[in-house]
């Protein structure tokens, strides 16, 4: 299947899933996550975080992995992992992830999850791994010679993230679709090859979010490393400064035209998402008042929308003990589930040596 086909199929499937979620939220378990490389920005928020909170409020159980082992796929130094993990956790909690119902955990605290990687690796070929378009793009970015074994195989590790807790719903942007495809393949092959067709793992579904195309303030993809991102934790003043410097174009009349005017369109989309309005209507309301008026409007919309989240975030950051407790609880729960899953995997694979061995009956 080509990438476009698989995107179309996933988009249609997502609409169908939304319908089922509304009716039977308890049938679903969301697993998703982020690399702890820094605080989250508006692109993350509208692309995935808001959607996680929405699903949680609809009654779906939510698991979020702070994916430490994915940080080292494409860089030599791990950076400030624990500080970055705290920043993620603050963003999650401030955005409304509820630690009483959701499970937030870290890769390295859940050994059984990581052990699933071994049988899972046996289920994919090197050629399949090399074909993954997201891995391809990432390996081009680091250079083929620097392609690490982990970069090539992290989609398999990500399958373990999803399958250890029997997550069946993965809310993602387009770039993560190939990874959900890998998880589906692994679930299917595991059942066929190691479980004689019994369903040990269900195939997870991707739930596509449509608002995943926010650009940074320089008109390229929003990304922390490019310095063009409005972070959730930014103050109102920092937000104003970033937006004031944002790239626009020479046309004074503001129109919503994502093809021809991507920078202006992305600013309009940002304001529209923050104020739950239509970007074209916003453009019309600005008319020929130009980029200055557009930027004022965007700044106000962002600051207004994120004020409560930012206040909660500041408050939460004064209580590091609470953050530790949330992670301790999340990791304990993830371990419990991962141990059960790994036991079942060992069982169906015939790897429970101690149990199956006949004990000597000599009375020694
Ligand atoms: N690969 C994801 C990213 O870079 C993060 C991630 C890790 C993830 N494990 C996951 C996403 C499992 C969905 C499901 O953003």
């Amino acid at each position: 299947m080509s990438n476009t086909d698989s995107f179309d199929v996933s988009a249609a499937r997502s609409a169908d899933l939304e319908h089922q979620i509304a009716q039977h939220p308890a049938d679903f378990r969301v697993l998703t996550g982020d690399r702890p490389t820094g605080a989250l920005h508006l692109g993350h928020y509208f692309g995935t975080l808001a959607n996680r909170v929405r699903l949680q409020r609809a009654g779906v159980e939510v698991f979020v992995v702070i994916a430490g082992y994915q940080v080292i796929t494409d860089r030599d130094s791990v950076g400030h992992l624990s500080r970055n993990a705290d920043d993620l956790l603050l963003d999650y909690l401030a955005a409304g992830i509820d630690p009483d119902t959701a499970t937030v955990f870290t890769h390295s605290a859940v050994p059984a999850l990581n052990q699933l990687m071994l049988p899972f690796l046996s289920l994919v070929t090197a050629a399949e791994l090399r074909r993954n378009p997201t891995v391809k793009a990432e390996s081009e970015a680091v250079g083929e010679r620097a392609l690490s074994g982990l970069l090539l195989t992290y989609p398999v590790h990500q399958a373990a993230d999803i399958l250890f807790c029997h997550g069946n719903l993965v809310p993602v942007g387009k770039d993560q679709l190939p990874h959900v495809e890998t998880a589906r393949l692994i679930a299917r092959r595991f059942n066929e090859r190691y479980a004689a067709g019994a369903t040990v793992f269900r195939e997870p579904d991707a739930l596509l979010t449509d608002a995943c195309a926010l650009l940074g303030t320089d008109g390229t993809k929003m990304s922390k490393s490019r310095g063009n991102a409005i972070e959730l934790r930014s103050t109102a003043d920092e937000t104003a400064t970033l937006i004031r410097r944002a790239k626009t174009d020479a046309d004074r009349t503001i129109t919503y035209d994502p093809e021809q005017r991507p920078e202006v369109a992305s600013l309009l989309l940002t304001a529209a998402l923050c104020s739950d309005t239509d970007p074209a209507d916003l453009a019309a309301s600005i008319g020929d008042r130009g980029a200055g008026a557009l930027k004022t409007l965007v700044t106000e919309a962002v600051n207004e929308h994120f004020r409560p989240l930012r206040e909660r975030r500041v408050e939460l950051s004064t209580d590091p003990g609470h953050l530790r407790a949330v992670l301790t609880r999340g990791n304990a729960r993830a371990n419990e589930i991962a141990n059960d899953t790994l036991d079942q995997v060992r069982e169906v694979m015939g790897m429970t040596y101690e149990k199956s061995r006949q004990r000597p009956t000599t009375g020694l």
Side-chain angles (χ1 to χ4, degrees):
M1 205 159 43
S2 80
N3 292 332
T4 335
D5 285 347
S6 96
F7 180 76
D8 290 346
V9 169
S10 297
R13 175 90 182 119
S14 293
D16 185 34
L17 284 165
E18 288 291 357
H19 189 69
Q20 291 180 43
I21 293 164
Q23 284 179 328
H24 305 289
D27 290 354
F28 293 92
R29 180 177 276 180
V30 160
L31 179 293
T32 173
D34 300 285
R35 303 176 187 208
T37 52
L40 297 179
H41 54 60
L42 262 57
H44 296 121
Y45 181 82
F46 289 114
T48 148
L49 187 49
N51 203 28
R52 296 174 195 172
V53 175
R54 176 183 69 90
L55 290 163
Q56 171 194 274
R57 292 188 177 145
V60 178
E61 191 183 5
V62 174
F63 280 66
V64 187
V65 58
I66 295 179
Y69 282 131
Q70 276 196 22
V71 174
I72 49 171
T73 52
D74 62 354
R75 62 196 79 192
D76 297 335
S77 104
V78 292
H80 295 280
L81 279 177
S82 74
R83 194 173 73 202
N84 291 342
D86 280 353
D87 271 326
L88 282 183
L89 193 53
L90 283 169
D91 286 332
Y92 297 159
L93 300 178
I97 293 291
D98 175 6
D100 287 335
T101 60
T103 302
V104 183
F105 67 99
T106 54
H107 264 157
S108 51
V110 188
L113 179 161
N114 295 294
Q115 191 171 329
L116 289 176
M117 176 92 169
L118 287 166
F120 286 2
L121 275 171
S122 75
L123 297 166
V124 289
T125 66
E128 284 169 334
L129 291 169
R130 285 186 184 280
R131 274 203 297 271
N132 181 307
T134 302
V135 171
K136 247 193 204 169
E138 287 166 335
S139 65
E140 273 158 25
V142 297
E144 175 68 21
R145 276 195 11 255
L147 172 62
S148 75
L150 188 61
L151 179 51
L152 191 62
T153 55
Y154 88 82
V156 179
H157 193 239
Q158 186 158 322
D161 292 345
I162 299 168
L163 298 177
F164 94 90
C165 66
H166 302 287
N168 60 354
L169 201 58
V170 189
V172 285
K174 206 172 163 178
D175 69 315
Q176 297 290 307
L177 276 181
H179 301 345
V180 180
E181 224 21 82
T182 300
R184 293 173 64 87
L185 190 74
I186 288 175
R188 198 157 61 234
R189 288 187 183 160
F190 185 95
N191 296 340
E192 282 163 8
R193 196 176 301 173
Y194 296 132
T199 308
V200 174
F201 295 109
R202 292 177 294 178
E203 290 183 40
D205 275 302
L207 186 69
L208 273 174
T209 38
D210 39 359
C212 43
L214 272 193
L215 298 180
T217 50
D218 60 355
T220 68
K221 187 176 155 67
M222 190 179 281
S223 135
K224 189 183 168 59
S225 57
R226 297 177 205 227
N228 65 0
I230 305 167
E231 294 184 346
L232 296 180
R233 65 174 176 185
S234 299
T235 63
D237 285 346
E238 288 163 353
T239 304
T241 305
L242 259 170
I243 294 175
R244 200 174 317 118
R245 289 197 206 123
K247 195 172 162 206
T248 51
D249 57 35
D251 191 343
R252 238 196 111 66
T253 306
I254 301 302
T255 52
Y256 184 61
D257 185 348
E259 291 292 314
Q260 301 298 320
R261 308 181 69 186
E263 299 93 352
V264 167
S266 186
L267 283 170
L268 285 164
L269 184 60
T270 304
L273 289 166
C274 288
S275 52
D276 203 14
T277 44
D278 181 71
D281 291 349
L282 283 181
S285 78
I286 301 166
D288 59 7
R289 288 186 295 125
L294 170 64
K295 289 178 177 180
T296 304
L297 184 137
V298 179
T299 303
E300 281 169 8
V302 171
N303 285 341
E304 184 66 27
H305 184 73
F306 288 103
R307 183 174 304 119
L309 182 153
R310 287 167 171 173
E311 284 171 4
R312 276 196 299 276
R313 199 182 190 284
V314 168
E315 203 175 302
L316 285 158
S317 68
T318 63
D319 189 357
H322 177 61
L323 297 187
R324 296 277 75 71
V326 168
L327 269 189
T328 302
R329 193 146 41 114
N331 283 335
R333 177 154 159 74
N335 267 304
E336 215 173 282
I337 297 173
N339 288 335
D340 282 351
T341 304
L342 183 61
D343 278 349
Q344 198 191 355
V345 161
R346 288 192 183 117
E347 189 84 41
V348 297
M349 295 182 77
M351 290 182 168
T352 47
Y353 308 109
E354 307 89 335
K355 261 194 251 161
S356 59
R357 198 172 57 208
Q358 287 296 313
R359 302 226 174 263
T361 50
T362 54
L364 279 175

